[in-house]
Amino acid sequence: MKPYIIRRSLLDGFCFSVICSAFYFYLPEAVLNTEMNFKLQIILFLCELILGALLSSVLYRGRITTLGAKIFQPDFNPGVAEAKNFYRTFWGWQFLVTLLILFIIGIFKTRFSFFELLNIDGLQGAQRLFLGMASPNWQVLPQAISNIIETIFMAFIATTLATPVAFVLSFLAAKNVMKGRMAFIIYLFLRTILNLVRSIEALVWAIIFSVWVGIGPFAGMLALMMHSIASLTKQYSEIVESVNEGPIEGIQSCGANKIQTIWYAIVPQVILPFISFTVYRWDINVRMATIIGLVGGGGIGTMLIKYQGQAMWAEVGTIIFVIAVVVWLMDQASAVLREALK
Amino acid sequence: MPNVILEIKNLKKTYPNGVRGLRGVSFQVLRGEFLVIIGLSGSGKSTLLRCINRLTDATNGQIKISIDQTAEKVDVTKFKSPTAIRALRKSIGMIFQQFNLVPRHTVIKNVLMGKLATTTTLKSILGLFSVADRTEALNYLELVGIADKAYLRADHLSGGQQQRVAIARALMQKPQILLADEPVASLDPATSHTVMNYLKKVNHELGITIICNLHDLSIVRQYATRVIALKDGEIVFEGSPLAINEDWFQKIYGIGALEKEIG
Ligand SMILES: Nc1ncnc2c1ncn2[C@@H]1O[C@H](COP(=O)(O)OP(=O)(O)O)[C@@H](O)[C@H]1O
Ligand SMILES: [Mg+2]
């Protein structure tokens, strides 16, 4: 089966099962949430998915454009489809109804409540918090500064260690460098690993490393480094893939080997964007480092979570102030630097 | 035949997408020739040159090269190891329509890149080219008349100057053959003649065999010692540039083509 048919069927099937689930609202909550019925729900969902997919192909035969066909089918009925306004099309309504039902389900699932938002007790709590933050306790300022310096250094070391690793890996993860059978296998392998590493959030890496090497800045730094290696490699290798082939052939025709070709034909073309991405990564890492501190990665985040736990809002206010200033400064500095590097 | 430097037999190239770039091309090149290959764009000229130094792998056929006068001719399409291919490329210089210099490096560094094949990887990465190499680079820049530009960035030069740098880079390889893929196609007529004259000088003074793809027939007549015309990946003419009369012209470029339009 062609991939676009599978995609179309999946999307239309999903829309159909979403539309079906609108009818579940008539069922009492107790019926929906019991253990036994969970299996039933899965089976029901799969049935709806298949039914929807079948319906999709029936509609397709009847030359009706479903959302799946609109998005995935190559050249489906192009002339007719373009002529109509979207609210006069089948796929338009399919999209709107699906979105509406998903939105309603979402409101329930997130327990959205104006009552909680406007509850007096809650409001007073928030007021205390804001007042505390608005009158920071400057006594903890020296400690906050020394902690944010730790955070900045965490980000700095993570970026510095990640950069050379990502530099080397980026060429191995670039299609235009990895030509040939064996090279392509390495390329695919590396891409897969990198995507895996990148799909694990830095916050999760921090939890892993704080178990591994103990809570503190070292764990935070390692977490940032892992994430940075994967992200930088991806960004770098995309730049490598977009280089001008001319100089590469020029150097190759001189009898240069692979490393010489990379060094003389590719590196000069990519070095400025590489530096620019590295600066930006440091900037991102400083922000991430503060968050990572919350789960035991050391630095200002750890300090923040400590005072927050004791509801010491004036101290929290100081810390937030320090973070805001530093993040703003980093942001400005990195923007100026990257602009200059263009 | 001791003076045959290159012998191509029944060379075919089919690209992965099914396009047949070359459909069985056979010819010989004598040492010291200035052979010009003409043909419409898409006729397979670039493919042919790129097969010779293995930037492209031929699908079928033989390319036999005798690198130095005494040695047996070897079929370079059989080369498998990267080392053998690099050694081949070292003895065949190539220049391109878009010059293919490294824009951010200086002119002299670009010229020194012609010595990459004989420089170790470590030394070349550290930029440690020998004094002899540097002197040689300056000499070749002198030969193509731009020694005074040696320490400028390559992309600050005009097109014609860049192509001369590319010639100097190729000469650094001490090549037996110089391939030129439409070397003047992006240059204006006056500059074109300057560059072509330097190629002629290289051919006469250094005895380097030149195989050059060209578009402009008026240039062809001035510089070529022999001409091969390609059409749809096949040779349709082989002979003296002066033998290309109106009839041949129409055969090569299609009925109704005018010489002016082609140039
Ligand atoms: N990398 C490639 N992949 C597929 N087809 C190619 C490639 N390079 C060239 N061709 C095709 O091969 C034919 C010959 O091209 P080329 O050798 O570049 O001709 P010329 O240099 O005479 O203009 C053309 O039809 C061209 O489209
Ligand atoms: Mg060409």
Side-chain angles (χ1 to χ4, degrees), chain A residues 244-261 263-265 268-269 271-272 341, chain B residues 50 53 55 86 89 92 94 96 100-102 104-105 109 113 116-117 119-121 124-125 127 129 169 173:
Chain A
N244 179 0
E245 287 284 318
I248 299 180
E249 293 197 330
I251 299 292
Q252 276 177 339
S253 71
C254 297
N257 64 30
K258 197 112 200 171
I259 296 176
Q260 290 171 329
T261 309
W263 186 253
Y264 278 108
Q269 294 191 59
I271 195 73
L272 282 188
L341 284 171
Chain B
R50 297 161 61 87
N53 71 351
L55 281 179
R86 287 205 301 271
R89 286 180 184 158
I92 302 178
M94 182 159 187
F96 303 81
N100 290 359
L101 301 178
V102 180
R104 287 182 170 277
H105 282 321
K109 203 156 191 187
M113 282 170 206
L116 284 178
T119 311
T120 62
T121 305
S124 56
I125 282 184
F129 294 94
R169 175 173 77 183
Q173 296 169 230

Side-chain angles (χ1 to χ4, degrees), chain B residues 41-42 45-47 97 181-182 213:
Chain B
S41 126
K45 306 183 295 295
S46 299
T47 307
Q97 177 176 353
D181 192 0
E182 310 216 15
N213 290 348

Side-chain angles (χ1 to χ4, degrees), chain A residues 189-209:
Chain A
F189 177 75
L190 197 62
R191 281 262 155 155
T192 315
I193 299 280
L194 287 170
N195 283 338
L196 279 178
V197 172
R198 227 156 29 87
S199 64
I200 300 175
E201 280 290 327
L203 204 63
V204 179
W205 281 116
I207 293 171
I208 294 171
F209 281 116

Side-chain angles (χ1 to χ4, degrees), chain B residues 198-247:
Chain B
Y198 280 114
L199 283 181
K200 192 172 169 183
K201 187 169 162 188
V202 165
N203 180 239
H204 280 199
E205 290 180 13
L206 306 177
I208 295 173
T209 310
I210 291 183
I211 307 176
C212 178
N213 290 348
L214 280 180
H215 241 87
D216 186 346
L217 216 56
S218 66
I219 293 190
V220 176
R221 293 205 180 94
Q222 266 179 60
Y223 297 93
T225 56
R226 195 157 63 95
V227 175
I228 284 178
L230 285 180
K231 190 177 183 185
D232 294 332
E234 281 170 325
I235 294 184
V236 292
F237 173 89
E238 188 171 354
S240 152
L242 302 174
I244 306 176
N245 55 21
E246 191 61 26
D247 281 354

Side-chain angles (χ1 to χ4, degrees), chain B:
Chain B
M1 283 179 287
N3 55 350
V4 173
I5 191 167
L6 173 71
E7 185 175 4
I8 291 181
K9 276 192 194 152
N10 198 25
L11 192 69
K12 292 180 183 163
K13 168 70 187 179
T14 308
Y15 283 102
N17 61 2
V19 174
R20 291 168 71 187
L22 294 174
R23 303 168 184 252
V25 168
S26 307
F27 64 93
Q28 289 188 341
V29 184
L30 303 182
R31 200 174 287 279
E33 266 194 294
F34 196 127
L35 176 70
V36 167
I37 300 171
I38 59 172
L40 282 174
S41 126
S43 57
K45 306 183 295 295
S46 299
T47 307
L48 175 58
L49 286 198
R50 297 161 61 87
C51 283
I52 296 174
N53 71 351
R54 292 289 301 270
L55 281 179
T56 303
D57 289 336
T59 319
N60 228 314
Q62 294 180 332
I63 302 173
K64 288 186 166 178
I65 295 185
S66 102
I67 289 309
D68 55 78
Q69 241 132 340
T70 52
E72 281 278 301
K73 284 209 285 287
V74 284
D75 183 359
V76 304
T77 60
K78 299 285 184 298
F79 286 3
K80 288 251 156 50
S81 81
T83 324
I85 294 175
R86 287 205 301 271
L88 169 76
R89 286 180 184 158
K90 193 224 149 254
S91 54
I92 302 178
M94 182 159 187
I95 62 175
F96 303 81
Q97 177 176 353
Q98 296 304 331
F99 326 126
N100 290 359
L101 301 178
V102 180
R104 287 182 170 277
H105 282 321
T106 57
V107 164
I108 182 132
K109 203 156 191 187
N110 267 288
V111 176
L112 282 167
M113 282 170 206
K115 276 280 185 270
L116 284 178
T118 51
T119 311
T120 62
T121 305
L122 187 66
K123 275 193 178 171
S124 56
I125 282 184
L126 296 174
L128 298 175
F129 294 94
S130 67
V131 177
D133 286 349
R134 284 172 193 279
T135 320
E136 202 182 333
L138 282 172
N139 285 342
Y140 283 129
L141 281 174
E142 192 83 52
L143 185 93
V144 294
I146 39 173
D148 56 325
K149 303 270 192 293
Y151 295 98
L152 292 183
R153 250 175 69 159
D155 53 355
H156 290 183
L157 267 54
S158 72
Q161 292 168 334
Q162 288 195 36
Q163 195 60 291
R164 281 143 73 189
V165 175
I167 294 174
R169 175 173 77 183
L171 293 179
M172 282 296 272
Q173 296 169 230
K174 293 250 184 306
Q176 300 286 312
I177 302 176
L178 180 62
L179 308 174
D181 192 0
E182 310 216 15
V184 296
S186 32
L187 303 177
D188 59 68
T191 320
S192 294
H193 279 288
T194 319
V195 168
M196 287 308 295
N197 276 323
Y198 280 114
L199 283 181
K200 192 172 169 183
K201 187 169 162 188
V202 165
N203 180 239
H204 280 199
E205 290 180 13
L206 306 177
I208 295 173
T209 310
I210 291 183
I211 307 176
C212 178
N213 290 348
L214 280 180
H215 241 87
D216 186 346
L217 216 56
S218 66
I219 293 190
V220 176
R221 293 205 180 94
Q222 266 179 60
Y223 297 93
T225 56
R226 195 157 63 95
V227 175
I228 284 178
L230 285 180
K231 190 177 183 185
D232 294 332
E234 281 170 325
I235 294 184
V236 292
F237 173 89
E238 188 171 354
S240 152
L242 302 174
I244 306 176
N245 55 21
E246 191 61 26
D247 281 354
W248 275 115
F249 187 80
Q250 302 259 328
K251 252 190 204 142
I252 298 165
Y253 290 107
I255 304 294
L258 292 174
E259 201 173 322
K260 268 207 189 110
E261 287 176 1
I262 298 299

Side-chain angles (χ1 to χ4, degrees), chain A residues 122-140:
Chain A
L123 271 182
Q124 275 171 351
Q127 200 182 9
R128 267 201 309 282
L129 198 154
F130 279 122
L131 279 178
M133 282 200 246
S135 56
N137 175 2
W138 297 116
Q139 235 131 49
V140 293

